[in-house]
Amino acid sequence: MLCELPVRAYAKVNFGLNVLPLQTSGVNAGFHNIESIFQTVDLFDELVVTKQAGNVKTCTVCCDSMELPEENTLTLAFRAFSEVTGKNDFGIHVQLNKGIPSGGGLGGGSSDGASLIKVLESLYNIKLTESQLSEIAAKIGSDVFFFTRCNENGTGCALVSGRGEIVKNIQGRTDLFLLLVFPGVSSSTKTAYSLIDEMYERSEVPLSPDFSCYEEIYRGNPASWSFINTFTPVISKEYPEIASALKCVRESGAVYSEVSGSGSTVFGVFTCEQQAETAKSLLGDKWSCKVCRTL
């Protein structure tokens, strides 16, 4: 019987997400640089990876809860690993059990890809260098840089900048409880960035704290956090459901609330689990909600 290797791929939230203008020159030309704190939470997908017998040297993926495109972050991760390491001795099958909503700004696909890379390291009994990890991440997606820098358990917290490739790990807080609210719409990342471009053309960009102050702000009382998400005003206007969910979370007692990533997930920060659960019970009739803890 072939060995099955299960692994968890944790979601992330953004505490602050300052999106800078589209780069027209330099190494990140064609991308928007960002400034953010990424932190994992105890919401996760599960990957069950099986090494394939015979001459099959591809990655196949099965997900019962959603239909995945033929090319997805897992197949991209498998191919990138093979290209960078030169290793393609066997194929794998991945059973993907989704716990992270797709298209919610929680990094589920990127976390899945990074988790598969760790499984492949184990199967080949190798340890990739930081340079190799960066090369692989660049072939998959910008959020993958962060997830490949998480610890062996797949959790972590970091200051993230550039297109996402500059990752400075910091000690994460584990004393925060988040109420995640899923508005029931999928926010298109491509659309969100085009709306950012239009906002810059109109010079209507919200003021973000200086990136050098992010960690100091993060260490303070969340009720005093001055983080902003550049996406929030434009996607709230584009998707009224997000605006409504954000209003409800802000009225639920959260000491800080924002959109994660380019949406559509809205989160509220609480310093007491019971208060987060109470807010969930208040909003649960209208929205799909989950209480998570920072990891």
Side-chain angles (χ1 to χ4, degrees), residues 148-222:
T148 59
R149 296 305 195 278
C150 287
N151 62 26
E152 289 302 312
N153 296 322
T155 63
C157 183
L159 293 160
V160 179
S161 56
R163 59 169 283 202
E165 83 280 13
I166 304 173
V167 179
K168 178 187 176 184
N169 291 94
I170 62 175
Q171 182 65 45
R173 293 181 62 160
T174 57
D175 61 333
L176 303 178
F177 299 90
L178 306 185
L179 173 63
L180 304 183
V181 177
F182 312 113
V185 296
S186 181
S187 174
S188 163
T189 301
K190 182 178 180 180
T191 298
Y193 274 105
S194 68
L195 292 170
I196 290 288
D197 292 336
E198 293 172 8
M199 183 178 66
Y200 269 107
E201 290 175 4
R202 299 191 303 269
S203 300
E204 297 176 355
V205 185
L207 184 63
S208 174
D210 192 274
F211 189 46
S212 63
C213 300
Y214 269 41
E215 185 172 3
E216 180 182 356
I217 295 169
Y218 170 73
R219 299 291 172 209
N221 186 336

Side-chain angles (χ1 to χ4, degrees), residues 1 3 20 24 39 61 71 150 160 162 168-169 199 204-206 211 228 239 260 266 283 289:
M1 183 175 180
C3 178
L20 302 174
T24 57
Q39 177 153 20
V61 184
E71 185 173 87
C150 287
V160 179
K168 178 187 176 184
N169 291 94
M199 183 178 66
E204 297 176 355
V205 185
F211 189 46
I228 62 101
Y239 304 98
S260 185
V266 171
L283 302 184
C289 305

Side-chain angles (χ1 to χ4, degrees), residues 138-152:
K139 293 173 179 287
I140 309 170
S142 296
D143 284 355
V144 181
F145 291 103
F146 163 71
F147 287 109
T148 59
R149 296 305 195 278
C150 287
N151 62 26
E152 289 302 312

Side-chain angles (χ1 to χ4, degrees), residues 31-60:
F31 291 93
H32 291 80
N33 285 343
I34 64 166
E35 298 171 337
S36 183
I37 290 181
F38 285 32
Q39 177 153 20
T40 53
V41 297
D42 63 352
L43 176 69
F44 58 88
D45 292 344
E46 182 188 49
L47 284 65
V48 181
V49 183
T50 307
K51 187 176 175 181
Q52 298 287 76
N55 294 321
V56 177
K57 296 184 179 181
T58 59
C59 172
T60 59

Side-chain angles (χ1 to χ4, degrees), residues 260-277:
S260 185
S262 59
S264 60
T265 303
V266 171
F267 67 91
V269 177
F270 296 81
T271 55
C272 170
E273 184 175 17
Q274 185 54 55
Q275 290 175 344
E277 291 289 352

